[in-house]
Amino acid sequence: MNVPFVRQKYLLPLLHFLFWSCVLPIIMLVVFNRPTHYTLDVALPPDVPVTGVSPAEIGEKGVFRWFATRSSVSLPALSATNHLLMLDIHGSGVVHRTLNVFVNETPIARVPLRPSWNKIVLLIPSNLLQKHVNDLLFEIEPLPPYNNEKFGFATTKLEMVQLGRSGIPVELSLWLIVIAVIVYFGVTIFHLSLFERVAIVSGVIGALSYALAVARVPVAMLLPMIALASASVAIVWSGIRVGLWLQRRRSSVWFRRLCVISGFVFVLHVVGMNAPAFVEIDHRARANHVLLLAQGGGDAVQRLLSNQYEWGIATIPYSLLSYYPFVPFATFFSHTHEMALVLKVVVSLLDATTPLLLYLLLVRS
């Protein structure tokens, strides 16, 4: 057996794969690891899953949000150590109201609220925290005289601060390893040079590790979506390579590089459009229009789209041709949320493949 040949052909690529896709994520996380300090910005759309939280309003102390009589905030990837929960809440001029705070359905405090501003600081012990997602639940009596579930309490600040350093959550390491493996496999499909593979994987994992260090909670929410989108792109890349191999065609290195760039643009685009902070009102409207078209309501959709000005004094023609290609999807995706997701994926695909299509047009011209 030719030992140098085996080492160069199999052993070195395997060692490269193991290091850049498995060891590197752990090193990056250790280097960039820092205590979590999460702030729910009440002036911006929530970047984590929330329930019972109303849109932002402006009061005497600036921007605030109403939390319902029963509301929750979900925080992933918290380290297994003690945390402080800090809240600034207004009592709305009412006495004898008590705020009940729960962590993963375990009660941790009953706080009587003053009629004016209340600064609340609560210790969350490590034994109440879970490995994946931790739910903060708030319960309070309705605000009289409205007695409306929407008006529980108004808050200008919600912060979660980690006390001291702790180990890196295991799920973060696993997700980064999964993403690194997918990216390494994807760039290897196109036979890019070793330098390009190393640079791409190191750049992706380094950027994600730094983002986790700066904003661990919202970025951790996106890791599963990044892994799923990256896996989808890698499957498409594999299909392209198989198609070229069956046709006995050789692709240029610039075509392969543009395929990789388009894949990364698609992942960034589709993940950003599905992040909790993304405002999807336009996509939901389009999804409802597509579903209405599928039910034969073309005239109703035309009336809605032809009269878009809020004062209703102008009627403009609006083509439905861009909506009809999505109508067949209504057979499989009959709900607004599902159709909106389809629209986001298609829009991301169109934006990501534009450079690739321009390159193909340039080459054929």
Side-chain angles (χ1 to χ4, degrees), residues 153-347:
F153 61 90
T155 182
T156 58
K157 184 179 78 171
L158 187 154
E159 292 186 12
M160 178 73 80
V161 180
Q162 177 180 329
L163 299 178
R165 289 189 171 272
S166 180
I168 302 168
V170 176
E171 63 271 17
L172 292 184
S173 304
L174 293 178
W175 278 119
L176 279 190
I177 290 175
V178 168
I179 293 171
V181 168
I182 295 172
V183 172
Y184 192 92
F185 172 74
V187 297
T188 304
I189 290 173
F190 284 113
H191 298 292
L192 297 182
S193 66
L194 177 61
F195 173 78
E196 290 174 316
R197 281 179 282 169
V198 169
I200 290 172
V201 176
S202 302
V204 170
I205 299 305
L208 286 177
S209 300
Y210 179 76
L212 286 169
V214 175
R216 179 194 293 185
V217 171
V219 174
M221 293 292 305
L222 305 179
L223 292 182
M225 285 191 285
I226 294 174
L228 179 59
S230 301
S232 303
V233 169
I235 293 173
V236 173
W237 284 344
S238 301
I240 293 175
R241 286 295 298 168
V242 170
L244 293 173
W245 178 78
L246 292 176
Q247 297 178 14
R248 297 294 190 270
R249 295 176 55 185
R250 292 178 60 86
S251 59
S252 70
V253 66
W254 285 108
F255 173 78
R256 299 196 298 269
R257 288 168 178 167
L258 276 176
C259 284
V260 173
I261 293 173
S262 296
F264 284 118
V265 172
F266 172 78
V267 171
L268 290 174
H269 201 289
V270 76
V271 170
M273 295 181 74
N274 286 280
F278 181 76
V279 180
E280 59 178 12
I281 183 171
D282 290 339
H283 290 81
R284 284 183 172 270
R286 294 189 184 98
N288 288 327
H289 293 157
V290 172
L291 295 175
L292 191 56
L293 280 174
Q295 298 171 4
D299 293 337
V301 175
Q302 184 66 69
R303 285 194 301 271
L304 290 171
L305 295 177
S306 298
N307 193 5
Q308 300 183 75
Y309 295 96
E310 58 182 352
W311 43 81
I313 62 173
T315 300
I316 59 175
Y318 196 98
S319 175
L320 301 180
L321 292 179
S322 61
Y323 286 81
Y324 282 114
F326 296 98
V327 170
F329 290 106
T331 305
F332 310 98
F333 307 100
S334 58
H335 298 287
T336 301
H337 175 74
E338 297 172 344
M339 183 57 68
L341 179 60
V342 172
L343 293 173
K344 292 176 186 176
V345 172
V346 173
V347 169

Side-chain angles (χ1 to χ4, degrees), residues 57-72:
E57 300 181 28
I58 298 179
E60 62 178 11
K61 286 189 65 174
V63 182
F64 71 94
R65 286 180 181 265
W66 281 105
F67 277 52
T69 54
R70 182 178 175 87
S71 54
S72 66

